[in-house]
Amino acid sequence: MGLHAPCRSKFMDFPHVSAPHRSLMFDLLSAVENRLGTQLEPCALPPNVEYYQNQAGNARGSLYVRRGQSSSPVDFVLGSWLNCQLPTGGALNITSLSAYLKTSTDAPNFLFELIRNGPTSLVMILDLTPRKDLVMFPDYLKTFYEDTQLDSHRQALEKLPEAQPYFSSALYIRSVVSPTAIMLKIDAGGEDRLEEIIDSQLPTISKAVLEIWLDKCAYGEERGVDEADRAYLEKRDNVVKRKTIDIDLASNFPRLFGPEIAGRVIEVLREVYAV
């Protein structure tokens, strides 16, 4: 099944990133659509949220949301891109894709983000974010992180001489990801080398982690979540969703887009997140 047309025109164009970067995002979302397409509702965002920009025209963004059907374990798939011109003359480009599961399963969610604030470096975040305590539930750690050999993908990327660990300034972000999370800063020293890494190194690992999520989480074995576990998952999921909005959007969007546009986008996201 192809990408749903009404949302494709703005979101999937990725007009402000390089061809390798655009191709990577397109391939990841296409993989999600091809596997989950029949489980997902059409994208139905207001046009002024599907694409938005500030009055000055120096900040713009796009959202892509498809909710899971009632019979699907998928809650929703969320894609976004953001482009902001910097006072220094460069640009900040952020592209992301995430997928959240319902409380009918306790399997991890999927998170992918590329952040570029210059032509020669980027930050990459890729993880299957856990929804249970990995100390209290060692079987969960084994099933989703050890048996799948997720850490091998992080180790492979860390072997790049241009790669170094990335530490978010928000301690909460560091606490919510898994021990196998790929959180790297890649400083290539030159634009051509960075594009080469995006083209030749990032797709293989990104697609492999996504395939693990699709196979083991979205289409994994029945997890047998009881009522007590569902209540715990709902409470924990809602905390994560609220924090995601507060940390990622509520503190920055009004400054970039003004209160009206920021309020409109955040309101839609709170509805999607159901918080």
Side-chain angles (χ1 to χ4, degrees):
M1 180 176 178
L3 294 167
H4 194 255
C7 286
R8 182 185 188 279
S9 59
K10 290 297 184 183
F11 176 66
M12 288 306 295
D13 283 348
F14 295 109
H16 304 285
V17 299
S18 65
H21 188 156
R22 184 182 307 116
S23 177
L24 173 56
M25 294 303 302
F26 185 90
D27 287 351
L28 290 176
L29 187 53
S30 295
V32 171
E33 291 270 357
N34 290 336
R35 288 286 298 275
L36 300 179
T38 57
Q39 297 188 32
L40 303 176
E41 299 286 352
C43 181
L45 291 172
N48 60 4
V49 173
E50 180 188 330
Y51 175 80
Y52 50 92
Q53 68 176 24
N54 65 4
Q55 289 186 338
N58 59 9
R60 55 198 64 80
S62 180
L63 283 183
Y64 177 90
V65 177
R66 290 189 66 180
R67 300 174 188 267
Q69 295 184 357
S70 58
S71 59
S72 172
V74 177
D75 191 2
F76 60 87
V77 174
L78 171 65
S80 70
W81 62 255
L82 180 68
N83 167 262
C84 299
Q85 302 302 311
L86 299 174
T88 56
L92 170 67
N93 283 291
I94 303 174
T95 59
S96 66
L97 177 65
S98 56
Y100 288 74
L101 297 173
K102 296 175 183 174
T103 56
S104 56
T105 176
D106 59 9
N109 295 323
F110 176 80
L111 171 64
F112 177 80
E113 189 165 84
L114 283 183
I115 306 168
R116 294 187 66 174
N117 60 2
T120 64
S121 66
L122 64 78
V123 168
M124 176 183 182
I125 301 173
L126 175 60
D127 192 29
L128 304 191
T129 51
R131 297 168 67 210
K132 297 184 77 170
D133 187 298
L134 301 182
V135 174
M136 293 294 292
F137 301 94
D139 287 347
Y140 191 91
L141 178 69
K142 184 177 187 301
T143 298
F144 294 111
Y145 301 99
E146 293 178 353
D147 292 350
T148 57
Q149 299 183 327
L150 265 179
D151 207 38
S152 64
H153 301 295
R154 179 191 58 80
Q155 292 170 1
L157 271 186
E158 285 192 346
K159 290 179 181 177
L160 287 172
E162 298 89 350
Q164 56 184 315
Y166 167 72
F167 299 102
S168 171
S169 59
L171 294 180
Y172 169 79
I173 298 296
R174 294 192 232 171
S175 68
V176 81
V177 296
S178 77
T180 63
I182 295 172
M183 299 182 71
L184 294 176
K185 180 177 181 181
I186 298 175
D187 192 345
E191 187 170 0
D192 289 345
R193 174 56 180 159
L194 184 62
E195 297 302 338
E196 179 186 347
I197 291 172
I198 296 174
D199 188 44
S200 64
Q201 303 292 330
L202 302 193
T204 302
I205 287 172
S206 303
K207 292 173 187 177
V209 173
L210 176 58
E211 284 298 320
I212 291 172
W213 181 80
L214 288 166
D215 291 340
K216 299 293 185 182
C217 303
Y219 281 102
E221 296 180 1
E222 179 67 41
R223 295 286 299 166
V225 180
D226 62 25
E227 294 256 346
D229 287 339
R230 285 196 182 206
Y232 165 85
L233 282 170
E234 183 175 6
K235 182 177 181 180
R236 189 184 189 282
D237 286 351
N238 286 343
V239 169
V240 171
K241 291 171 181 175
R242 279 194 295 269
K243 283 285 192 179
T244 297
I245 291 176
D246 292 344
I247 293 174
D248 286 351
L249 301 178
S251 59
N252 294 314
F253 258 48
R255 175 175 54 84
L256 293 172
F257 293 99
E260 181 183 349
I261 295 173
R264 182 196 312 147
V265 174
I266 292 172
E267 181 182 359
V268 168
L269 285 173
R270 288 195 190 279
E271 181 184 344
V272 172
Y273 282 126
V275 294

